[in-house]
Amino acid sequence: CLSFLSVRLFQSFRLPALQLHTTGALMGATVEDFNHAKDKLSKLKKDPGNEVKLKIYALFKQAMQGPCNIPKPSMLDFVNKAKWDAWKSLDSLSPEEARQKYVDLVESLVAAETPAQPKASSTGGQATFETLLVTTEDNITTIVMNRPEKKNAITVLMYNEIKRALELAANNDCVITVLTGSGNFYSSGNDLNNFTNIPAGGVEKMAKDSGDLLREFVKAFIDFPKPLIAVVNGPAVGVVVTLLGLFDVVYATDRATFHTPFSQLGQSPEGCSSYVFPKIMGNAKASEMLLFNKKLTAHEACNLGLVTEVFPDSTFQKEVWTRLKEYAKLPKNSLAFSKQLIRGVEKEKLHLVNNQECERLVERWLSDECMNAIMSFFQAKSKL
């Protein structure tokens, strides 16, 4: 669960809030837009993330001062080195172009903060979601992870909303339930900006709370009573991959990839994958994924049994949804009872595995080894 780790990382490596101020008169017709953009930036409610902050910083410096003209910071000065690299990467971009790109970027951030909140059909009335699109139509409840600008990275709010959407789907009149992603990604896994404020109990409390959140999240998938289908519309990373073993059917576009980089980040498996993956693909292949971070193509995942079927990206949505609509015409109770027979015998074991995995992850998140792995990851990323 990468999100928790950002707390420990930011304790020693946090990009400071951007201090945006003018140092001279701007030329051109975009002065007013540029100043408005600065005002809008200061009023953003959500942290756009370090990568976006670096882009904003670089564009601002390029607009105000032109190409980077300051000495390169020490490699050990991670923050200023990252800022210098971002500014330097703009090379000979003109100040006018930088101002326009700055305005465009800020406008996109503002637009992303004001999405329409769709309503979800449920037997208990209407429910609204901020990070999901949830609909029920043709006997299918569809849950769409809806943060395309962040590659559908999972925030704490999204964890809770997916859990709530599953609870609603379990109790409404739908026959099958589908989880998919918006845009070109299924999901990039956990959002590293989840935990930027350390609670009064410190990182230990945050680790425990994160473990409890993950435990309840995975439990919702283990206990889901109806056929659950993953429509993997693009790359998938981390927890959204490990959960696939708890789905009844997994359809993927041939553009999808599946990656679980746990040991690379000093962590351990989740989503019951430590038990389910070896059962699905055998110990050796599961170890390649869970221990040695092997990224699978869609066809590789299908050959190993993690994915049910792979479709050409050009016809993926049409073929899959045609099939799902036919599934949704089948008798609801027959499907639910059949799933109970198939899955029921394993349920107690899955809950035990889920508890063990979450306990181990809490220990991992608090370890120096995990912290060092994360630091190495960000240092390598800053060199790109």
Side-chain angles (χ1 to χ4, degrees):
C1 192
L2 296 180
S3 50
F4 162 73
L5 294 168
S6 63
V7 176
R8 300 200 71 197
L9 177 65
F10 290 152
Q11 286 178 311
S12 57
F13 172 39
R14 175 180 285 180
L15 287 175
L18 295 177
Q19 301 298 316
L20 301 181
H21 55 275
T22 57
T23 56
L26 293 174
M27 298 178 62
T30 61
V31 173
E32 186 175 355
D33 290 339
F34 187 75
N35 289 330
H36 282 320
K38 288 191 295 178
D39 291 338
K40 291 178 181 179
L41 182 65
S42 66
K43 296 175 183 177
L44 287 178
K45 297 177 181 178
K46 298 179 182 178
D47 186 335
N50 288 334
E51 289 188 25
V52 176
K53 286 180 182 177
L54 286 172
K55 290 180 182 178
I56 293 171
Y57 169 83
L59 289 170
F60 182 83
K61 297 292 284 187
Q62 192 84 359
M64 300 305 300
Q65 299 181 26
C68 182
N69 57 3
I70 60 175
K72 184 177 181 179
S74 164
M75 289 297 295
L76 298 178
D77 187 355
F78 302 130
V79 174
N80 287 321
K81 173 64 166 52
K83 292 165 70 175
W84 187 90
D85 286 340
W87 185 9
K88 187 71 173 178
S89 70
L90 297 182
D91 195 23
S92 59
L93 185 73
S94 72
E96 292 77 15
E97 290 176 299
R99 287 197 291 269
Q100 185 60 56
K101 288 180 178 292
Y102 178 93
V103 170
D104 291 342
L105 178 54
V106 172
E107 290 295 340
S108 70
L109 294 174
V110 172
E113 283 201 346
T114 55
Q117 293 188 353
K119 293 185 176 181
S121 300
S122 70
T123 54
Q126 299 293 317
T128 58
F129 300 88
E130 292 183 27
T131 66
L132 307 176
L133 296 174
V134 182
T135 58
T136 297
E137 186 177 357
D138 297 327
N139 294 325
I140 303 172
T141 291
T142 305
I143 303 169
V144 182
M145 295 175 282
N146 190 38
R147 300 183 72 220
E149 75 285 355
K150 297 291 186 180
K151 300 178 181 178
N152 299 321
I154 303 178
T155 61
V156 172
L157 177 59
M158 187 185 285
Y159 268 113
N160 285 314
E161 289 196 336
I162 291 175
K163 180 173 172 288
R164 182 158 61 96
L166 288 174
E167 291 169 352
L168 292 172
N171 293 290
N172 68 13
D173 292 329
C174 77
V175 175
I176 63 175
T177 298
V178 174
L179 180 66
T180 190
S182 175
N184 294 323
F185 259 71
Y186 182 64
S187 172
S188 58
N190 286 285
D191 191 321
L192 287 174
N193 293 304
N194 275 352
F195 299 95
T196 56
N197 295 313
I198 303 174
V203 293
E204 289 79 10
K205 183 180 187 305
M206 184 168 287
K208 180 182 181 301
D209 290 347
S210 298
D212 291 342
L213 174 66
L214 180 62
R215 182 182 293 105
E216 292 302 309
F217 178 71
V218 175
K219 182 177 182 293
F221 286 84
I222 296 172
D223 290 337
F224 192 73
K226 300 176 182 179
L228 186 59
I229 299 170
V231 175
V232 184
N233 57 299
V237 181
V239 65
V240 296
V241 177
T242 57
L243 283 172
L244 293 178
L246 302 178
F247 283 75
D248 301 296
V249 172
V250 179
Y251 291 139
T253 169
D254 59 8
R255 194 173 50 79
T257 55
F258 302 84
H259 194 201
T260 54
F262 299 128
S263 61
Q264 182 181 350
L265 297 168
Q267 299 182 66
S268 54
E270 62 199 358
C272 297
S273 59
S274 63
Y275 173 70
V276 176
F277 276 26
K279 289 195 66 175
I280 292 174
M281 61 185 75
N283 287 335
K285 292 297 184 181
S287 293
E288 269 197 311
M289 279 197 78
L290 299 177
L291 301 185
F292 302 117
N293 313 302
K294 181 176 181 179
K295 181 190 292 186
L296 300 181
T297 66
H299 288 292
E300 287 173 333
C302 187
N303 290 337
L304 291 174
L306 185 62
V307 169
T308 308
E309 189 172 347
V310 178
F311 299 81
D313 190 61
S314 59
T315 60
F316 175 62
Q317 296 292 344
K318 181 179 179 181
E319 289 193 65
V320 167
W321 284 99
T322 297
R323 190 174 300 187
L324 294 179
K325 288 177 181 179
E326 289 301 312
Y327 292 165
K329 295 176 183 178
L330 296 170
K332 180 174 69 172
N333 290 336
S334 175
L335 291 176
F337 288 137
S338 296
K339 174 171 178 172
Q340 287 178 20
L341 291 171
I342 295 170
R343 294 280 186 172
V345 68
E346 292 276 28
K347 188 174 288 189
E348 184 177 347
K349 177 67 175 179
L350 291 173
H351 283 304
L352 176 63
V353 171
N354 182 33
N355 290 336
Q356 291 173 337
E357 288 179 343
C358 291
E359 289 172 4
R360 178 57 64 192
L361 274 169
V362 170
E363 178 273 324
R364 289 280 78 212
W365 293 332
L366 293 172
S367 70
D368 290 337
E369 183 179 63
C370 187
M371 179 59 181
N372 291 335
I374 294 296
M375 287 294 292
S376 296
F377 171 79
F378 274 92
Q379 288 175 32
K381 190 173 182 180
S382 71
K383 297 176 183 178
L384 298 178

